[in-house]
Amino acid sequence: MINDTLIYLDFEKYFTQVAITIITFYVLCLLLLKKYINWKDIQLKKLVSFPIVISVILIGYLTFEISSLVLPNLQNYLISFFLILIALLWFVGTCFFIYINDKFYGNFRLFITASCCLFVTALLLINDFYYYSRVFTVLINIAEAIGLYFFTKFFIEAKYIEAEPEKENYF
């Protein structure tokens, strides 16, 4: 609520405070997700698959293009902008990692959450620093609410998927 209030008052004027609240939010979300990450689950084969590589390329391209659109307006706030970007990508990467490992029922909710976070951040920057539209504001609020809903729903309903023992096939 604090973040949204500062954004609605004057996003550019309060950008540093907005950056602090956004970074704090992502760090707290990452701390909540800490128990769902197991470093032993990191397998290079899963991370270098065709869909993952294409997704990383597309997210990288969108990040670069949106950054190049809004950076001229953020000359005084470059450090804050890049800290937000790092926190966002760390959070999104963590959500996608948990989703890819497929160790919890309902992990698709984290995929939806990460997608909503990317959408909200990108559209917020475009709306406030490049092209303002009330439709974008409504879409940002809807996507933010959906992302928070699915993030909360993940924590409520996430259950570890028990690995089934492999049966020996003699035939």
Side-chain angles (χ1 to χ4, degrees):
M1 288 184 345
I2 293 169
N3 186 44
D4 290 343
T5 304
L6 292 173
I7 289 171
Y8 291 132
L9 289 175
D10 189 352
F11 190 47
E12 192 170 344
K13 179 179 178 184
Y14 297 113
F15 188 78
T16 304
Q17 291 84 355
V18 168
I20 291 169
T21 59
I22 289 173
I23 293 166
T24 304
F25 172 76
Y26 286 136
V27 168
L28 291 174
C29 289
L30 284 164
L31 290 174
L32 290 172
L33 290 172
K34 190 168 79 169
K35 77 175 194 175
Y36 297 96
I37 298 173
N38 187 355
W39 293 108
K40 295 175 187 173
D41 292 336
I42 297 175
Q43 298 174 359
L44 191 58
K45 188 186 299 183
K46 282 186 179 180
L47 296 176
V48 186
S49 65
F50 182 72
I52 303 298
V53 171
I54 295 297
S55 298
V56 167
I57 290 170
L58 289 174
I59 289 171
Y61 173 74
L62 286 173
T63 302
F64 175 76
E65 288 301 321
I66 292 170
S67 297
S68 65
L69 279 175
V70 299
L71 275 177
N73 297 325
L74 294 173
Q75 292 299 321
N76 297 331
Y77 307 107
L78 289 178
I79 294 172
S80 299
F81 173 76
F82 284 111
L83 288 175
I84 291 172
L85 186 62
I86 289 167
L88 170 71
L89 293 177
W90 190 12
F91 174 69
V92 168
T94 302
C95 288
F96 286 154
F97 176 75
I98 294 169
Y99 172 74
I100 290 167
N101 279 328
D102 201 24
K103 298 279 185 184
F104 300 94
Y105 290 110
N107 61 3
F108 69 92
R109 292 179 182 100
L110 285 180
F111 180 82
I112 295 169
T113 299
S115 300
C116 286
C117 283
L118 286 170
F119 178 77
V120 165
T121 304
L123 205 54
L124 181 66
L125 289 170
I126 290 170
N127 194 37
D128 285 319
F129 292 111
Y130 190 71
Y131 176 76
Y132 178 79
S133 174
R134 283 189 173 251
V135 174
F136 287 173
T137 304
V138 171
L139 289 174
I140 290 167
N141 288 324
I142 291 170
E144 183 179 22
I146 290 170
L148 289 173
Y149 171 78
F150 280 105
F151 191 63
T152 305
K153 194 85 165 152
F154 171 77
F155 288 116
I156 293 170
E157 297 180 3
K159 292 181 181 142
Y160 188 75
I161 298 173
E162 297 293 327
E164 295 180 14
E166 293 185 25
K167 298 178 183 177
E168 293 184 31
N169 190 359
Y170 295 107
F171 296 106

